[in-house]
Amino acid sequence: MCLSGTLEEKLAAIAAAGFDGFELFEPDLVTSWLSPADVRSRAADLGLSIELYQPFRDFEQVDDDQLRANVHRLRRKLDLMAELGVSTLLMCSNVDTAVDDSDARAVDQLGIAAREAADRGISIAYEALAWGRSVSTVDHAWALVRQVDHPALGVCVDSFHILSRGTDPAVLDDIPGEKILFCQLADAPRLQLDVLNWSRHHRVFPGEGDWDLADFVARVIAIGYRGPLSLEVFNDTFRQTSPERTAMDAYRSLVATEGAAFERLGSTSGELPPDRAQRMGFIELAPDSDGRLKAALDALGFERHGAHRRKAVDLYESGNARLIVNRAEAGPRARIRALGFEVEDVAAATDRALALGCEVLPRDHADGEAILNAVSAPNGAEIYFAPRAESGFDWAAEFTLTNDGPQVFHEVDHVVMEQSWQRIDEAKLFYESILGLSVQASSDVPGPDGLVRSLALKGPGGIRVALNVRPLEAAGRPGFADHIALGTDDVLRLAERLADSGVATLPVPDNYYADLDARFRLEPERLERFRRFGILYDRDDSGEFLQLFTAPIDDVVIEIVQRDRDYLGYGAANAPIRLAAQRLLASGGVASAA
Amino acid sequence: MCLSGTLEEKLAAIAAAGFDGFELFEPDLVTSWLSPADVRSRAADLGLSIELYQPFRDFEQVDDDQLRANVHRLRRKLDLMAELGVSTLLMCSNVDTAVDDSDARAVDQLGIAAREAADRGISIAYEALAWGRSVSTVDHAWALVRQVDHPALGVCVDSFHILSRGTDPAVLDDIPGEKILFCQLADAPRLQLDVLNWSRHHRVFPGEGDWDLADFVARVIAIGYRGPLSLEVFNDTFRQTSPERTAMDAYRSLVATEGAAFERLGSTSGELPPDRAQRMGFIELAPDSDGRLKAALDALGFERHGAHRRKAVDLYESGNARLIVNRAEAGPRARIRALGFEVEDVAAATDRALALGCEVLPRDHADGEAILNAVSAPNGAEIYFAPRAESGFDWAAEFTLTNDGPQVFHEVDHVVMEQSWQRIDEAKLFYESILGLSVQASSDVPGPDGLVRSLALKGPGGIRVALNVRPLEAAGRPGFADHIALGTDDVLRLAERLADSGVATLPVPDNYYADLDARFRLEPERLERFRRFGILYDRDDSGEFLQLFTAPIDDVVIEIVQRDRDYLGYGAANAPIRLAAQRLLASGGVASAA
């Protein structure tokens, strides 16, 4: 149920992603024209084992009539499992037909189930659903299993059902590993939602939610569990998007979670190369063919810029801010093409990405040039691993550079890129697991075309990457753009420079400045200068933040920011102004009342 | 914030829908290039009054420094309101900067605000947000307002903030109507979600959620409130879809809610013509040009069928089941074109629809023919109001009919039509307010392309209409179809008849029958007959339900159902089979293991 498609399509995607096996979810079988024997041979052909059949519901704590019907149903399913060649059945705690809360009745009836299963060489993994009528906790399920004391009966542990109740996973320490017959993993965002809907619609792969699944896995391994680690993730998005992509995302999640778990256990099995991003190295832009992007960059006056000795590539450099303009990729629309992150060891970072299911992209490279490997991010941007300047790598070496002016920027403050709703969870895992970034904030920005969901990630060395998901109905609509924010100490000076150069900046409504005045009571002269240049302002208890945006150059906005060191945000309160202004320009409007 | 677009676009949509005025939401102004004077004149030109300016946040219960900043902010906003010509300001209870829970401090500071406002001829409507730090209930807000006892201070009542907390709206009876300065209405689905997210993303217009807003409005009127009824609906979908459509939907909601409120108060003001659907009259189909739909209908053997005397229209009739095939609308793909509902009085039903913002569709009609008026449903289907047979109207009169066989159907059991996600809330309100249907169930059906959201509505005389919202990613994908379910007493006989005629039925996997056997322990011969004909089965405590589907004829599936009277559902457990089979056929698959 993690994947969309038919059973055939799911199996193909699971095998292609590199998994060892799968749980067979009954509805996938019931809606399939593959016979059980077909499924068995299809799995074998793909090199996949069927680790579990599930779910068997509402068996225990029932009255005698219902028990007879349940035993009939169980026998039929055990026969089916024999045809499939599956040796573990997942039995969920009763949510519907239980007649009382009696442990004695549950123990009796689970014993019957265990003996029926044992007769056919099958084991039952009993799982407490978080919304089970009487049995809803893993310790309760384990207490019943211990009382039944039958070799064909153990428990299934599912991170969702344990963590969603706020249960301390230390509860697992009381269960002998060999009595855990199966381990299912799911992460989830922290939502205050009823647990059934939370479970059925909002599970995500480990690393994509808010829980610590590495800790969960480490505990399960520590108590001796040696069975499969399986992903059981009900998610409305995964259910409708490409099963191949989702399976790869799932594989990455499991490898990353396992790696982190082994790391916590101090074990070297399953360890991943630790190298991750240390600092933003560069942003690569594909310019428009008309030279509008280059004109805007030239107007900003970078300290140094120049051409690559061999390729049609320009470098703009100021402090640690580096923009690379790849003229060979020039097209009708300027766009962000790649992000370069400095890593300690390019080879190790590449190995980490490979272990996590990435493919290294082909790259034109000559002897004597720095080795930079790239992989593809979920939104299609290329992500480069670049050597650190401290490692002796010299940016200047491959470029013929000229001095162009005083230092205007000190760093890339942040980058904002669009991300499709289909892959935002995958993107979070990608940046976290491959680059070592972590989520700083998630917010909804109201714009004229709807809410833009924004996920801000941060890393060491001041790395800040935000991913914006546009409203569904705005697909293909103009008025959205990626942006690159360059940090400066003097936005006003640059604003004047831009004004002189004729580079268009985003229009800002006068009403915004009236509101700023009401909210922050700024000095009138300062407010007037902000208004004149279209500078946006924010303040919190830690300091001030000033922003100036160029008008979009196709799909790219250049933002100039001046940040008090302790101000940690991105001027979220101003984001609706940016969206409104982009919409205005995209619809051919001008910055005055119509 | 109910609508998408710029302030200009919103005002145009509000005026076009027929509203008298609007609340001005500060973010709409701050992101607009219209000056306050422009907004004032634009509103006047459109015949709209600006009833309120909102929100003013976090004023009261603060320390002295914050109070000074707040008074500065308040004065600026009051000046702005004077420019706009707005006389009521919404002040929300403090959620952020309150330093304590002291009522005395709140009363002092609200008094300051009231005097500042009164100096400019403005009134403040104080609203308890459900998540206010100290003031979160309407009775608390009213207690503070009463203590301040200033003519420029009253309360704002908002149905969301009251009903979301489970507060009995009878709490309103203690507030004198003249101290309610504003009334905001929002409905919402019952969700177990934290109230802030519930409020910010999931509000809907009255009648589209689960609350009784007519009761709320009746109470407010009963205690003497005579101010505007305003819709304050934060909704992720409305924020991104056509503002014109949403404004019309909002208008319908308000008229319907007002009408129902007046009805409860026994008042005739604002009363709506009461006529609503009494029974399903007919389904009109636009056939494919190749005659496949007609061939399938002919194979089913209706009791009577024949041609309209004047138009290219055929009638198929059996019992109360009537299908109309409009050959003039034949196209490349067969589809459901219209639903006809019998009403007591066609003119009154039409007037009701007109009062609720519908337009009557043009229709070809000759003297002596029955008058049937139609309006357009949110999915584009035409909805006819048809006279009742009991009124002397005779279906046969306009058709040349032949007797073709024994009675095979007794009624239209139900109709399922696709509905876009953008208009599912609008659709619920449409069918409820115009036809008098009510929601029977809402469910998610898992299919190979994702979850299909299904909303089942029912009405008198056995009317059942379900609306299916396909997964987003399945837009434009084959494998989905509307369906018409015809009720019979003998599915097996019709199954044989269809088999003989060569009309294709939906393939059903053998695995389904194995599962049926496990679940229901059916008699083997009966199960085998089900399997042979592809009949689906369900059972609950009230009875049995049998279903047989034709293969899709373009966008139409004909379903034949046999229903024990007390079985109330639609065979929801079988819906995934239908989706899987439609997907199989759409992808060119055949009903055997590949």
Side-chain angles (χ1 to χ4, degrees):
Chain A
M1 81 294 287
C2 302
L3 302 176
S4 74
T6 62
L7 184 54
E8 293 93 315
E9 291 163 348
K10 293 179 190 206
L11 295 186
I14 290 166
F19 284 92
D20 302 314
F22 64 96
E23 298 176 48
L24 183 56
F25 186 48
E26 183 166 285
D28 282 326
L29 181 68
V30 169
T31 56
S32 173
W33 281 266
L34 294 178
S35 72
D38 292 334
V39 175
R40 183 179 193 157
S41 64
R42 179 75 58 106
D45 291 348
L46 292 166
L48 295 171
S49 58
I50 314 180
E51 299 285 354
L52 183 93
Y53 186 84
Q54 72 130 315
F56 195 95
R57 298 189 188 278
D58 299 328
F59 184 85
E60 82 289 16
Q61 289 183 322
V62 298
D63 65 24
D64 289 350
D65 276 356
Q66 187 66 56
L67 182 63
R68 268 188 296 277
N70 286 355
V71 169
H72 164 80
R73 179 160 58 99
L74 179 61
R75 286 176 180 165
R76 285 286 192 273
K77 297 299 179 185
L78 293 170
D79 291 347
L80 169 65
M81 289 173 66
E83 282 184 82
L84 288 161
V86 188
S87 59
T88 309
L89 173 67
L90 177 74
M91 183 173 279
C92 306
S93 60
N94 199 321
V95 296
D96 185 25
T97 55
V99 290
D100 60 29
D101 291 349
S102 150
D103 275 10
R105 189 190 290 263
V107 168
D108 271 359
Q109 297 180 350
L110 287 171
I112 292 169
R115 289 187 293 277
E116 290 283 341
D119 287 348
R120 290 157 178 88
I122 288 174
S123 298
I124 293 176
Y126 181 59
E127 176 182 57
L129 298 181
W131 53 89
R133 182 174 283 199
S134 151
V135 181
S136 58
T137 62
V138 69
D139 47 319
H140 193 178
W142 164 234
L144 297 176
V145 165
R146 196 173 41 187
Q147 287 177 70
V148 174
D149 192 22
H150 190 288
L153 183 71
V155 294
C156 171
V157 298
D158 179 317
S159 62
F160 186 89
H161 293 293
I162 295 169
L163 301 177
S164 67
R165 296 180 60 97
T167 305
D168 183 342
V171 68
L172 295 172
D173 299 348
D174 297 332
I175 311 176
E178 70 275 10
K179 292 303 280 184
I180 298 179
L181 300 189
F182 210 75
C183 174
Q184 294 174 321
L185 302 177
D187 199 347
R190 271 192 200 94
L191 293 177
Q192 286 179 267
L193 181 67
D194 66 282
V195 70
L196 185 62
N197 273 307
W198 192 15
S199 171
R200 292 270 170 88
H201 301 285
H202 300 283
R203 293 185 182 206
V204 287
F205 295 123
E208 296 178 356
D210 291 327
W211 292 337
D212 185 354
L213 268 294
D215 169 75
F216 190 92
V217 170
R219 284 178 186 279
V220 172
I221 294 171
I223 59 175
Y225 175 70
R226 294 295 177 268
L229 295 174
S230 182
L231 298 165
E232 190 198 35
V233 173
F234 297 88
N235 179 289
D236 288 359
T237 300
F238 300 159
R239 284 185 106 129
Q240 61 180 299
T241 50
S242 155
E244 294 79 15
R245 291 288 308 212
T246 307
M248 277 308 308
D249 180 31
Y251 177 81
R252 174 174 302 147
S253 161
L254 206 45
V255 171
T257 306
E258 257 186 325
F262 280 123
E263 206 172 298
R264 296 198 197 189
L265 291 167
S267 156
T268 53
S269 349
E271 204 181 311
L272 290 168
D275 216 55
R276 301 179 198 180
Q278 310 239 334
R279 197 165 61 187
M280 179 71 79
F282 63 87
I283 297 169
E284 181 182 323
L285 298 156
D288 57 292
S289 320
D290 304 335
R292 287 169 285 119
L293 180 67
K294 277 197 55 85
L297 293 176
D298 289 337
L300 286 168
F302 280 78
E303 191 178 358
R304 306 200 291 179
H305 82 262
H308 194 271
R309 299 187 192 279
R310 191 174 62 82
K311 302 185 199 173
V313 167
D314 295 317
L315 175 69
Y316 288 80
E317 188 177 17
S318 184
N320 284 318
R322 273 173 226 100
L323 304 184
I324 287 174
V325 178
N326 189 339
R327 283 179 277 115
E329 296 285 343
R333 296 184 66 79
R335 62 190 171 89
I336 297 177
R337 192 176 172 276
L339 306 182
F341 293 95
E342 293 186 2
V343 295
E344 198 62 46
D345 177 343
V346 170
T350 307
D351 285 347
R352 180 178 179 87
L354 288 170
L356 289 165
C358 289
E359 286 174 31
V360 173
L361 299 170
R363 181 166 180 272
D364 168 24
H365 171 259
D367 280 354
E369 292 178 357
I371 294 173
L372 282 71
N373 289 327
V375 298
S376 185
N379 70 351
E382 297 188 1
I383 302 296
Y384 279 87
F385 307 117
R388 299 201 57 168
E390 291 80 348
S391 69
F393 167 66
D394 179 9
W395 280 95
E398 294 178 22
F399 291 84
T400 309
L401 290 168
T402 54
N403 268 22
D404 203 30
Q407 185 171 324
V408 285
F409 302 113
H410 45 77
E411 64 183 355
V412 171
D413 186 88
H414 64 274
V415 184
V416 181
M417 293 191 299
E418 181 159 350
Q419 177 61 57
S420 68
W421 65 269
Q422 293 94 332
R423 296 191 182 159
I424 183 67
D425 294 315
E426 176 187 340
K428 173 178 185 284
L429 178 65
F430 175 89
Y431 288 100
E432 286 187 343
S433 65
I434 290 165
L435 295 168
L437 309 193
S438 58
V439 170
Q440 179 182 350
S442 177
S443 60
D444 290 316
V445 180
D449 293 303
L451 294 178
V452 173
R453 180 176 164 201
S454 186
L455 181 73
L457 297 143
K458 63 178 168 40
I463 295 173
R464 293 189 195 88
V465 177
L467 301 173
N468 280 355
V469 180
R470 68 165 75 191
L472 291 164
E473 281 287 273
R477 221 181 265 176
F480 296 87
D482 291 345
H483 51 118
I484 295 169
L486 302 170
T488 181
D489 294 327
D490 195 347
V491 160
L492 277 165
R493 189 183 55 158
L494 276 164
E496 283 170 11
R497 184 169 189 155
L498 278 179
D500 291 345
S501 74
V503 170
T505 54
L506 268 193
V508 179
D510 281 348
N511 296 333
Y512 169 77
Y513 294 101
D515 185 58
L516 266 194
D517 180 31
R519 288 195 290 138
F520 295 120
R521 209 173 185 168
L522 296 173
E523 196 203 331
E525 273 177 46
R526 196 172 182 218
L527 186 67
E528 176 51 28
R529 293 187 77 193
F530 289 173
R531 199 193 60 73
R532 189 185 334 144
F533 293 112
I535 291 171
L536 304 181
Y537 176 85
D538 193 29
R539 187 167 79 201
D540 66 13
D541 293 341
S542 314
E544 293 187 323
F545 188 63
L546 278 64
Q547 302 170 276
L548 174 67
F549 296 91
T550 67
I553 302 155
D554 304 326
D555 297 329
V556 182
V557 165
I558 301 169
E559 177 182 357
I560 300 160
V561 309
Q562 183 175 333
R563 174 191 293 275
D564 277 1
R565 204 183 332 217
D566 294 333
Y567 179 96
L568 293 176
Y570 296 72
N574 296 327
I577 302 290
R578 182 175 53 76
L579 290 172
Q582 289 176 199
R583 163 70 123 73
L584 179 81
L585 297 181
S587 60
V590 288
S592 64
Chain B
M1 80 294 286
C2 302
L3 301 176
S4 74
T6 62
L7 184 54
E8 291 94 315
E9 291 163 348
K10 292 178 191 209
L11 295 187
I14 289 166
F19 285 93
D20 302 314
F22 63 96
E23 298 177 49
L24 183 57
F25 186 47
E26 181 165 287
D28 282 325
L29 181 69
V30 169
T31 57
S32 172
W33 281 267
L34 294 178
S35 71
D38 292 335
V39 174
R40 183 178 192 159
S41 63
R42 179 74 59 105
D45 291 348
L46 291 167
L48 295 172
S49 58
I50 314 179
E51 299 285 353
L52 183 94
Y53 186 84
Q54 73 131 312
F56 195 96
R57 296 189 189 280
D58 298 330
F59 184 85
E60 81 290 16
Q61 288 183 324
V62 298
D63 64 26
D64 290 348
D65 276 356
Q66 188 66 57
L67 182 63
R68 268 188 297 278
N70 286 356
V71 169
H72 164 81
R73 180 160 56 98
L74 179 61
R75 287 177 179 164
R76 285 286 192 275
K77 297 300 179 186
L78 292 171
D79 291 346
L80 169 65
M81 289 174 65
E83 283 184 81
L84 288 161
V86 188
S87 60
T88 309
L89 173 68
L90 178 74
M91 182 172 280
C92 307
S93 61
N94 199 319
V95 297
D96 186 24
T97 55
V99 291
D100 60 29
D101 290 351
S102 149
D103 274 10
R105 190 190 290 265
V107 168
D108 272 358
Q109 297 181 350
L110 287 171
I112 292 169
R115 288 187 295 275
E116 290 283 340
D119 287 347
R120 290 158 179 87
I122 288 174
S123 297
I124 293 177
Y126 182 58
E127 175 183 58
L129 298 180
W131 53 89
R133 183 173 280 198
S134 153
V135 181
S136 58
T137 61
V138 68
D139 45 320
H140 193 178
W142 163 235
L144 298 176
V145 165
R146 196 174 39 186
Q147 288 177 68
V148 174
D149 192 23
H150 190 289
L153 183 70
V155 295
C156 171
V157 299
D158 179 318
S159 63
F160 186 89
H161 293 292
I162 295 170
L163 301 176
S164 67
R165 297 180 59 98
T167 304
D168 183 343
V171 68
L172 295 173
D173 299 349
D174 297 333
I175 311 177
E178 69 276 11
K179 291 304 280 185
I180 298 180
L181 300 189
F182 211 73
C183 174
Q184 295 175 321
L185 302 177
D187 199 348
R190 270 193 200 91
L191 293 177
Q192 285 180 268
L193 181 67
D194 67 279
V195 70
L196 185 61
N197 274 306
W198 192 14
S199 171
R200 293 271 170 88
H201 301 285
H202 300 284
R203 294 185 181 206
V204 286
F205 295 122
E208 296 179 355
D210 292 327
W211 292 336
D212 185 354
L213 268 293
D215 170 74
F216 191 92
V217 170
R219 283 178 188 279
V220 172
I221 294 171
I223 59 175
Y225 176 70
R226 293 293 177 268
L229 295 174
S230 183
L231 298 165
E232 191 198 36
V233 172
F234 298 87
N235 179 290
D236 288 1
T237 299
F238 300 158
R239 283 186 106 127
Q240 61 180 298
T241 50
S242 156
E244 292 80 14
R245 291 289 307 211
T246 307
M248 276 308 309
D249 180 30
Y251 177 80
R252 175 174 301 148
S253 162
L254 205 46
V255 171
T257 305
E258 256 185 326
F262 281 123
E263 204 173 302
R264 294 198 198 189
L265 291 168
S267 156
T268 53
S269 352
E271 204 180 313
L272 290 167
D275 215 56
R276 302 180 197 179
Q278 310 240 335
R279 196 164 63 186
M280 178 71 79
F282 62 88
I283 298 170
E284 179 182 324
L285 297 156
D288 57 292
S289 321
D290 304 335
R292 287 168 284 120
L293 180 66
K294 278 197 55 86
L297 292 176
D298 289 338
L300 285 169
F302 281 77
E303 192 177 356
R304 308 201 291 178
H305 81 259
H308 193 272
R309 298 189 193 278
R310 190 174 63 83
K311 302 185 199 173
V313 167
D314 294 318
L315 175 69
Y316 289 79
E317 188 176 19
S318 184
N320 284 318
R322 272 172 227 98
L323 304 183
I324 287 175
V325 178
N326 189 339
R327 283 179 277 115
E329 296 284 341
R333 297 185 66 78
R335 62 190 170 88
I336 297 177
R337 193 177 173 277
L339 305 182
F341 293 93
E342 292 184 3
V343 295
E344 198 62 48
D345 176 343
V346 171
T350 307
D351 285 346
R352 180 179 179 88
L354 287 170
L356 290 165
C358 289
E359 286 174 30
V360 173
L361 299 171
R363 183 167 178 270
D364 169 23
H365 171 261
D367 280 353
E369 291 179 357
I371 294 172
L372 281 71
N373 289 327
V375 298
S376 185
N379 70 350
E382 296 186 4
I383 302 296
Y384 279 87
F385 308 116
R388 300 202 59 170
E390 291 81 347
S391 68
F393 168 66
D394 179 9
W395 281 96
E398 295 177 21
F399 291 86
T400 309
L401 292 167
T402 54
N403 267 24
D404 202 28
Q407 186 171 325
V408 284
F409 303 113
H410 43 80
E411 62 183 357
V412 172
D413 187 87
H414 63 274
V415 184
V416 181
M417 294 192 298
E418 181 160 351
Q419 177 62 56
S420 68
W421 65 269
Q422 292 95 332
R423 297 192 183 159
I424 183 67
D425 294 315
E426 176 187 338
K428 173 178 183 285
L429 176 66
F430 175 89
Y431 288 99
E432 287 187 342
S433 64
I434 291 165
L435 295 169
L437 309 192
S438 58
V439 170
Q440 179 181 352
S442 175
S443 61
D444 290 316
V445 180
D449 293 305
L451 295 178
V452 173
R453 180 176 163 201
S454 186
L455 180 74
L457 297 143
K458 63 176 166 41
I463 295 173
R464 293 189 196 88
V465 177
L467 301 172
N468 279 355
V469 180
R470 67 166 74 193
L472 291 165
E473 282 287 273
R477 222 181 265 176
F480 296 86
D482 291 344
H483 51 117
I484 294 168
L486 302 170
T488 180
D489 294 325
D490 196 346
V491 160
L492 276 164
R493 189 182 56 159
L494 275 164
E496 282 170 12
R497 184 169 188 154
L498 277 178
D500 291 345
S501 74
V503 169
T505 54
L506 268 194
V508 179
D510 281 350
N511 296 332
Y512 169 77
Y513 294 101
D515 185 58
L516 266 195
D517 180 30
R519 289 194 289 139
F520 294 119
R521 211 173 185 169
L522 297 172
E523 195 203 334
E525 272 177 45
R526 195 170 182 220
L527 186 68
E528 177 50 27
R529 293 186 77 194
F530 289 172
R531 200 194 60 72
R532 190 185 333 143
F533 293 112
I535 290 170
L536 304 181
Y537 177 85
D538 193 28
R539 188 169 75 201
D540 66 15
D541 293 342
S542 314
E544 293 187 323
F545 189 62
L546 277 64
Q547 303 170 275
L548 174 67
F549 296 92
T550 67
I553 301 156
D554 306 325
D555 298 329
V556 182
V557 166
I558 301 168
E559 177 181 357
I560 299 160
V561 309
Q562 183 175 334
R563 174 192 293 274
D564 276 1
R565 203 184 331 218
D566 295 333
Y567 178 97
L568 292 176
Y570 296 72
N574 296 326
I577 302 291
R578 181 175 53 77
L579 289 173
Q582 289 176 197
R583 163 70 124 71
L584 179 82
L585 297 181
S587 61
V590 290
S592 64

